[in-house]
Amino acid sequence: MTHFRSKLASFFTNRWFVFVAAMWVQSCGGVGYLFGSISPSIKSSLNYNQRQVAALGVAKDLGDSIGFLAGAISELAPLWVAMLVGAFQNLIGYGWVWLVVAGYVATPPLWVMCILIFIGNNGETYFNTVALVSCVQNFPKSRGPIVGILKGFAGLSGAILTQLYALMHTDDHTTLVLMVAAVPTVVALAMMFLVRPVGGHRQVRPTDNVSFIFVYCVCLVLAAYLMCVMLLEDLVDLSRMTVTIFTAILGILILLPVAIPIFLTFSEGESGDERVPLLVEEGNAEAGNSGVKEAQTPDYILSEVEEEKPKDVDLLPASERQRRIAQLQAKLFQAAAEGAVRVKRRRGPHRGEDFTLMQALIKADFWLLFFSLLLGAGSGLTVIDNLGQMSESLGYDEVHIFVSMISIWNFLGRIGGGYFSEVITRDYASPRPIALATAQVIMAIGHFFFAMAWPGTMYIGTLLIGLGYGAHWAIVPAAVSELFGLKYFGTLYNFLTAANPAGSLVFSGIIASGIYDSEASKQAKGHLAGLLGGDEPLKCQGQICFFLSSLIMAGFCIVATILSIILVVRTKIVYKNLYGKSHT
């Protein structure tokens, strides 16, 4: 019994169990991706026009992205406190929205609805912060895959909750709003004491690569399964029993990754553990190339090495670079000890070290990343928020299929973005933003297809925008942790996510909604109902509704690509220092 209790305790402190628990939280925590499904219900119930719906979308995006408080709580209090606050906000915000839409309480003014949507969706920032901070610290040498998988499950939550909604077999669309309020709250409360740092950098095992391959396989099977189920449900009238079986299989696939910590705990024991230093420590040691840990080298010596070393040293092979700079560092130590030179104290951290938010805000690289994210992810979020109206304008009756599809492509984009950006950095020591620029080119093509509105382009555009947008949220967090360190990662990450609502405010709140309502007004004037001043909300039909706004967003994605390429050029040396020695 004592042995079993010991194994059970080891199971709950296994970093793979924490990772799996974080996946479960994320799998129902990305409620913002369901806005495209619930917005038509809100629009019809409250008789809103498209500009009012866009205002709710911007409030949702602000709530999803303004995570300063979540970052601060994650640094000052135990992570379970942040999870609890997020669950409370999700329940209060979306719970009240459900009461309004269902008619249980009086309809408040638009600004109150915006506040409720903001509060409800802001809970997602707490779930994201707790999951990412915990798992990036537990897996410091696998940041790309970890961030990609976690953010992928957040993107997939829309399809998962849609499947649970299909299980209910109800025509009451307000039930989906109730699910958004209840399900994430219950899961977050169940997991809030389990998702936390557990010293995972001391739990490295030879089987870790196999474990990651297993998780990737589960992710691909899960995405393919959901896609097939959704297509069947859209094309065929399935019985309730069939939908129940499909949902049960979905639950099994989501639970399946827990087999990894079970196997590791009860089969391998603790013999596989080995201490591996953090990537930041390795990167800084290589940047200083002293052959010793950074903790043994004063900061001002490292700074002096950076300033005194010849520029061509960074272009040498890693072994030769290490030898040259080790010699320079030894000379500086000796000169400083003899008083022959006065070593300057460093003024701040170098890229790859730990930056506070204030230190990062004065760095050009940080703002390049911010505006690249604003233009790229902001345009993608506009499509996600308006996908219901986009599909309706082109004559599609079932908008849920496109919302669920973009959720799956978003998921695969995050998984693929994390994996391929890790290949770029680990195998080629190239800057991770290369993958970001590639994703933004893909999104530009997707926006172009939406603008053309040729037959079938809704499916192609949904695929490309979902993949490109999802890749942003696997690549950017990993790049932030590499360029600006892990110590203040929660605060830095949550500041960058503010680019999302800023982009959505411009693209959705001003450009897309303004053009849509303008075209809808023109079409209404050509109908008798419009001339008589009907009370029905304005609706636009045809390619023209989103033609111009899609072309504008395609252009901004090209600008985002240029910013990412500039960042690639500026950070080449950083990534060579961090990952270059693995190629010697």
Side-chain angles (χ1 to χ4, degrees), residues 107-242:
T107 302
L110 177 63
W111 65 269
V112 175
M113 287 294 294
C114 288
I115 291 176
L116 291 174
I117 293 287
F118 172 87
I119 292 173
N121 224 65
N122 191 243
E124 184 180 336
T125 65
Y126 294 86
F127 305 152
N128 269 321
T129 300
V130 172
L132 291 176
V133 169
S134 299
C135 294
V136 168
Q137 290 185 23
N138 287 334
F139 292 84
K141 297 180 72 66
S142 304
R143 305 181 202 192
I146 288 296
V147 173
I149 292 169
L150 288 178
K151 296 296 290 183
F153 271 91
L156 196 63
S157 58
I160 293 172
L161 291 177
T162 298
Q163 184 60 31
L164 291 177
Y165 172 71
L167 181 64
M168 297 182 179
H169 271 275
T170 177
D171 293 328
D172 183 7
H173 296 295
T174 63
T175 306
L176 185 59
V177 183
L178 177 61
M179 286 182 54
V180 169
V183 175
T185 301
V186 172
V187 175
L189 292 176
M191 298 290 117
M192 67 180 183
F193 293 114
L194 301 178
V195 181
R196 78 281 189 208
V198 290
H201 56 285
R202 289 186 288 269
Q203 298 182 23
V204 177
R205 300 171 185 263
T207 57
D208 280 346
N209 286 336
V210 176
S211 298
F212 273 116
I213 291 173
F214 178 75
V215 172
Y216 275 125
C217 290
V218 170
C219 290
L220 294 175
V221 171
L222 181 60
Y225 175 76
L226 273 172
M227 177 62 70
C228 292
V229 168
M230 285 187 305
L231 289 175
L232 279 175
E233 291 176 347
D234 186 51
L235 299 174
V236 182
D237 187 13
L238 301 176
S239 67
R240 183 163 189 172
M241 178 59 69
T242 303

Side-chain angles (χ1 to χ4, degrees), residues 288-305 308 325-343 345:
N289 291 297
S290 60
V292 296
K293 290 184 179 179
E294 183 186 0
Q296 297 172 328
T297 305
D299 284 347
Y300 58 83
I301 291 292
L302 290 176
S303 179
E304 192 72 14
V305 167
E308 295 294 332
I325 301 183
Q327 292 176 351
L328 175 59
Q329 184 171 313
K331 291 179 181 179
L332 286 171
F333 265 120
Q334 183 178 359
E338 296 175 354
V341 296
R342 184 179 180 182
V343 179
R345 299 283 173 170

Side-chain angles (χ1 to χ4, degrees), residues 303-323:
S303 179
E304 192 72 14
V305 167
E306 288 294 321
E307 294 184 11
E308 295 294 332
K309 69 182 180 182
K311 292 182 179 180
D312 60 350
V313 166
D314 286 322
L315 303 177
L316 296 173
S319 57
E320 178 64 17
R321 184 171 69 246
Q322 181 175 354
R323 187 184 67 81

Side-chain angles (χ1 to χ4, degrees), residues 414-428:
R414 296 177 186 218
I415 299 295
Y419 175 79
F420 288 112
S421 69
E422 195 74 6
V423 170
I424 289 171
T425 57
R426 294 280 178 183
D427 293 353
Y428 300 99

